[in-house]
Amino acid sequence: MNKPGVIDREGLNRLIQTLIGRGYQVVGPTVRDEAIVYDNVFSIEDLPAGWTDEQEGGTYRLKKRSDDALFGYTLGPHSWKRFLHPPERRLWQAQKDSLDFDIVPEQPDNTKYAFLGMRSCELHAIAIQDKVFIQSPHTDLHYQSLRQNALFVAVNCGQAGNTCFCVSMQTGPKVEAGYDLVLTEILDDSHHSFLIEAGSEAGKNILEEVKAGPAGAGEIKKAEEIVTNTAKQMGRAMETGNIKELLYENLEHPAWGEIAERCLSCANCTMVCPTCFCSTVEDVTDVAGDHAERWQKWDSCFTMDFSSIHGGAVRNSTQSRYRQWMTHKLASWQDQFDTSGCVGCGRCITWCPVGIDLTREVAVIRESTTCQEENFSGSEAQNENS
Amino acid sequence: MVPRPFKVKEIIRESHDTVTLDLQPEKPEKEPGFAPGQFNMLYTFGVGEVPISISGSSSGADSYLHTIRDVGKVTHALASLKRGQKVGLRGPFGNAWPIEQAKSRDVVIMAGGIGLAPLRPALYALLSQRDQYGNISLLYGSRTREDLLFHHEFETWKGKYGVQVKVSVDTADRDWKGNVGVVTTLIHRVSFDPSNCIAMICGPEIMMRFSAMELVQAGLEEDKIYMTMERNMKCAVGFCGHCQFGPAFICKDGPVFSYDRIKPFISTREI
Ligand SMILES: Cc1cc2nc3c(=O)[nH]c(=O)nc-3n(C[C@H](O)[C@H](O)[C@H](O)COP(=O)(O)OP(=O)(O)OC[C@H]3O[C@@H](n4cnc5c(N)ncnc54)[C@H](O)[C@@H]3O)c2cc1C
Ligand code: SF4
Ligand code: SF4
């Protein structure tokens, strides 16, 4: 969009102050409870200087780096969906008098968020949720309001985690679209600087206020190398060719039963996934019974209630729930939204308490050629009319 | 996402556990109208909200008929409403029965239990242009004769419109002169041209699956057989994810689906 500039740590601080000055609530990475989580950021002091993370199936550990990198980690358990599509929010309230009641809708949230330190896969995840909540027959006005107000300051990943596979999903590691500003953190013995580029008019406008110095050819080349290098470090890979057909044709594969022996149906994977969007509603009343509220809350296809209809849950077994989740992510999402539902961030692998790894499970199904026969139980045929 | 205020204008008791509510908008300005097969989300104060199909005629009505079977918390609250009480309503949502595609063809309607409710608007639409369609059959299965819905209309449908109405019950008392057994056995008791016919089915999933298989046996093509799917539903606008059925969202891609489209999924358990 315009020429890249260079800022140092102070420049980054100026960027944060500029955003705050323009009325943004700046949210970025901070260390809390032994993890890097997204929270309010007021200066670079809040950023996780010198921290990195080690990730594997079922494990996440913070570790000190030998340098002071501010973005030297990969991804924590949070994703930006907790701000744009919050874990719970009130949809409306109702007040009752005698036979009547009146419903008062909640006004859309007008908060102006500036997200700092977004990774390429995370921008892709938001583009995917946009398809669910905005580019669909109905619009979620709350999401739309937050989304339109938000400013995205991305970072090119300087290293990949052990559970990352964005290269397979073509969602990273280089930030290519959907950002207002993008940084590349450049660290060597004597320098700590950030290449900064604008990707939108809003970003350009802010960059002018931050007053970045001009980037030299050396810095541009260095930044390019950093992200190229990251692409070579992917801890995981997933073969995506014909993945939709593969999963649809293997709905009765024995692998699902095998996974179910390990899966705890705890729903962690759906909570940490940046694209999982399912929610439920809860209707609550006060003690007197005159005031009712409806709340929307994140929900998961791993819960029993999720599929319950009169007469019981449709998906009783863990096997059917894991199948629903993975088939949705990788197959039916394509039919529904014309994109994969997975951006390869690896969170579901890291945060699964038993380390279930969807890249491996896909490979297991792919490598096998067995297709189980459909298996109806005869008892079902009774009571056809009821 | 926010329910609109409606009043219970009339209550019709259909059977021991089923009532029809006539719901009228409090501000009767601009009701969008609806197509046969569509549903509304009905909210009772403090209890909850559930999807219920529209069961009345789609032409010219200024209110919505909803036929509700009392099976649980919210449906019980709905079935217990009194005239003049208020409900919240969102909708209409969903797609429609293939009324247009059925023109100049025979039509076979198969219903199980409460499944006749979403099909009644389709039948009304067919009958309002009776000469545009060939043979029309209604095959209706119910648990007992006490559970039969809309039976007072059967004679009009038969006599005035020449609909082939066949009813079967699971369990019959001594006075019952009609058929006993699953609804699929009725297929062979009506005449239709399988090469030029549209079928519309609504009932329990197992009933729809067997009905579709039986109709294919009888010579219908899979893409001429339509059925509605039921899943848990919270938002009805494609956000909550609950009503997914394979690649489809029942709320926005359905609830009416052609058999060829959903066959691989309807024949998979726990999908
Ligand atoms: C498109 C569509 C059209 C329908 N049309 C009719 C109709 O015309 N007449 C009729 O009597 N019934 C109809 N149903 C079924 C009706 O919605 C359920 O019987 C009702 O939701 C049961 O709720 P409950 O609280 O009374 O039952 P409970 O057994 O007490 O609760 C069941 C729980 O599942 C939830 N739930 C969400 N979606 C459903 C669902 N689809 N089915 C069952 N439970 C659900 C309920 O909110 C509740 O939390 C329809 C369902 C769908 C999806
Ligand atoms: S499915 Fe797993 S790897 Fe893919 S986007 Fe969700 S959390 Fe990340
Ligand atoms: S796959 Fe792992 S994280 Fe997901 S529900 Fe199963 S045990 Fe929990």
Side-chain angles (χ1 to χ4, degrees):
Chain A
M1 188 125 192
N2 59 347
K3 285 215 179 68
V6 171
I7 53 177
D8 58 8
R9 287 169 67 106
E10 259 323 298
L12 185 64
N13 212 18
R14 276 203 308 283
L15 171 62
I16 296 172
Q17 304 318 320
T18 302
L19 293 171
I20 293 172
R22 291 185 179 211
Y24 285 103
Q25 181 175 337
V26 182
V27 182
T30 60
V31 177
R32 196 176 69 214
D33 300 334
E34 294 170 48
I36 286 168
V37 296
Y38 297 147
D39 206 340
N40 292 332
V41 162
F42 302 97
S43 80
I44 58 165
E45 297 306 318
D46 295 320
L47 300 177
W51 287 104
T52 189
D53 46 26
E54 274 182 350
Q55 308 198 27
E56 244 317 321
T59 49
Y60 174 94
R61 205 175 295 120
L62 282 189
K63 225 181 71 174
K64 268 289 177 195
R65 294 171 58 100
S66 57
D67 58 29
D68 274 338
L70 297 175
F71 300 101
Y73 60 93
T74 49
L75 294 165
H78 281 182
S79 72
W80 306 102
K81 83 172 175 186
R82 85 175 25 250
F83 300 95
L84 298 177
H85 174 47
E88 53 178 69
R89 75 180 168 94
R90 189 166 57 202
L91 295 177
W92 46 259
Q93 315 181 51
Q95 198 64 40
K96 187 174 168 180
D97 63 282
S98 67
L99 281 183
D100 255 359
F101 61 87
D102 283 310
I103 294 182
V104 185
E106 208 72 8
Q107 291 309 309
D109 188 340
N110 286 325
T111 308
K112 280 171 70 181
Y113 284 118
F115 296 152
L116 174 64
M118 305 174 83
R119 307 308 171 103
S120 178
C121 63
E122 301 190 297
L123 287 162
H124 281 268
I126 290 175
I128 290 172
Q129 288 212 329
D130 287 351
K131 293 198 174 204
V132 178
F133 294 126
I134 300 178
Q135 295 146 33
S136 85
H138 301 271
T139 303
D140 182 332
L141 297 175
H142 178 91
Y143 179 92
Q144 188 184 39
S145 166
L146 289 169
R147 179 68 180 84
Q148 282 171 350
N149 285 338
L151 189 100
F152 294 165
V153 184
V155 168
N156 280 312
C157 287
Q159 67 189 61
N162 263 339
T163 55
C164 290
F165 57 104
C166 63
V167 167
S168 301
M169 303 316 290
Q170 299 178 319
T171 57
K174 189 173 163 56
V175 173
E176 276 164 342
Y179 61 94
D180 295 293
L181 288 165
V182 59
L183 306 164
T184 309
E185 185 166 32
I186 305 174
L187 271 156
D188 55 37
D189 296 341
S190 53
H191 286 92
H192 189 178
S193 59
F194 303 87
L195 191 80
I196 183 165
E197 292 160 85
S200 70
E201 275 308 315
K204 199 169 150 188
N205 193 280
I206 287 161
L207 193 50
E208 276 161 19
E209 190 173 331
V210 172
K211 298 203 185 346
E219 280 150 333
I220 294 172
K221 183 156 168 281
K222 181 91 205 218
E224 203 52 56
E225 278 167 17
I226 288 172
V227 67
T228 315
N229 215 20
T230 303
K232 294 181 193 144
Q233 295 171 3
M234 292 291 128
R236 295 286 197 279
M238 185 154 74
E239 161 73 54
T240 57
N242 286 332
I243 197 160
K244 182 174 106 177
E245 293 73 16
L246 178 77
L247 294 180
Y248 280 170
E249 281 159 19
N250 285 289
L251 295 172
E252 306 279 7
H253 196 281
W256 305 117
E258 193 280 317
I259 299 165
E261 286 173 19
R262 289 174 280 143
C263 175
L264 312 172
S265 208
C266 69
N268 267 15
C269 47
T270 52
M271 298 293 116
V272 295
C273 178
T275 66
C276 275
F277 57 83
C278 290
S279 63
T280 187
V281 288
E282 281 175 20
D283 289 293
V284 293
T285 38
D286 64 351
V287 193
D290 292 337
H291 181 82
E293 299 190 343
R294 169 164 299 173
W295 284 75
Q296 175 185 291
K297 299 185 173 176
W298 284 358
D299 200 2
S300 168
C301 52
F302 281 94
T303 67
M304 177 71 90
D305 269 359
F306 190 87
S307 66
S308 75
I309 56 175
H310 159 69
V314 173
R315 293 181 208 107
N316 269 299
S317 66
T318 299
Q319 147 171 9
S320 67
R321 296 186 208 162
Y322 189 88
R323 178 182 67 188
Q324 167 62 24
W325 179 69
M326 196 168 95
T327 313
H328 186 215
K329 288 275 106 162
L330 302 172
S332 36
W333 214 294
Q334 296 187 33
D335 286 321
Q336 297 167 353
F337 302 107
D338 213 12
T339 170
S340 172
C342 174
V343 297
C345 74
R347 285 183 180 92
C348 58
I349 307 172
T350 300
W351 295 94
C352 173
V354 293
I356 293 172
D357 176 346
L358 81 169
T359 65
R360 197 180 143 259
E361 305 310 341
V362 168
V364 165
I365 294 176
R366 199 181 279 284
E367 278 156 25
S368 72
T369 46
T370 24
C371 274
Q372 268 210 330
E373 287 296 308
E374 290 174 1
N375 183 8
F376 298 125
S377 85
S379 64
E380 241 192 308
Q382 293 164 4
N383 225 347
E384 259 192 56
N385 290 334
S386 52
Chain B
M1 290 298 279
V2 178
R4 293 177 287 140
F6 275 65
K7 277 242 148 62
V8 179
K9 186 170 131 197
E10 206 64 63
I11 302 170
I12 305 153
R13 180 147 282 284
E14 305 285 359
S15 78
H16 60 101
D17 64 356
T18 304
V19 297
T20 296
L21 301 180
D22 189 356
L23 302 179
Q24 197 172 37
E26 284 216 324
K27 298 185 205 92
E29 297 136 32
K30 41 166 183 13
E31 277 313 305
F34 73 96
Q38 287 196 298
F39 65 95
N40 285 319
M41 297 297 285
L42 301 186
Y43 168 76
T44 50
F45 182 85
V47 185
E49 192 187 46
V50 290
I52 302 288
S53 306
I54 305 169
S55 66
S57 169
S58 55
S59 72
D62 55 1
S63 61
Y64 297 113
L65 290 189
H66 285 288
T67 303
I68 301 156
R69 188 164 155 221
D70 176 355
V71 296
K73 201 173 61 145
V74 181
T75 48
H76 181 71
L78 285 167
S80 314
L81 286 171
K82 309 227 155 36
R83 202 188 293 179
Q85 272 189 295
K86 196 156 159 179
V87 293
L89 183 150
R90 297 191 291 130
F93 297 118
N95 65 356
W97 293 109
I99 305 296
E100 277 303 308
Q101 295 96 300
K103 283 213 167 127
S104 71
R105 296 176 194 265
D106 292 347
V107 181
V108 174
I109 293 178
M110 295 182 73
I114 186 75
L116 186 55
L119 280 165
R120 191 169 68 164
L123 192 56
Y124 286 155
L126 299 174
L127 300 184
S128 72
Q129 294 180 286
R130 182 65 189 92
D131 56 341
Q132 305 263 0
Y133 301 92
N135 286 340
I136 300 179
S137 314
L138 170 64
L139 314 180
Y140 183 31
S142 164
R143 280 181 304 179
T144 70
R145 70 189 299 177
E146 279 73 42
D147 293 296
L148 289 171
L149 299 179
F150 314 138
H151 47 86
H152 48 277
E153 293 179 75
F154 292 177
E155 285 312 316
T156 318
W157 293 343
K158 280 192 226 174
K160 185 166 170 207
Y161 297 103
V163 178
Q164 310 174 75
V165 179
K166 299 283 173 213
V167 177
S168 182
V169 296
D170 289 344
T171 0
D173 53 28
R174 266 183 305 160
D175 301 338
W176 178 253
K177 301 278 182 314
N179 306 288
V180 179
V182 294
V183 69
T184 45
T185 56
L186 301 175
I187 291 175
H188 309 286
R189 312 191 51 160
V190 291
S191 61
F192 58 90
D193 174 2
S195 66
N196 188 34
C197 179
I198 291 273
M200 307 179 199
I201 318 174
C202 185
E205 208 163 306
I206 179 84
M207 167 265 175
M208 294 195 289
R209 201 161 75 206
F210 279 104
S211 299
M213 279 155 52
E214 203 68 37
L215 287 167
V216 170
Q217 281 278 304
L220 259 80
E221 285 170 45
E222 290 176 354
D223 63 354
K224 302 293 185 301
I225 302 171
Y226 291 80
M227 55 181 75
T228 58
M229 294 306 301
E230 179 182 353
R231 282 291 181 272
N232 190 305
M233 208 175 262
K234 297 293 181 198
C235 74
V237 291
F239 300 153
C240 80
H242 282 251
C243 73
Q244 285 179 75
F245 177 69
F249 283 86
I250 288 171
C251 68
K252 58 178 186 183
D253 306 320
V256 179
F257 296 93
S258 65
Y259 182 48
D260 62 319
R261 210 180 137 200
I262 56 167
K263 195 179 162 203
F265 301 97
I266 197 173
S267 45
T268 305
R269 289 170 63 84
E270 292 196 284
I271 203 81

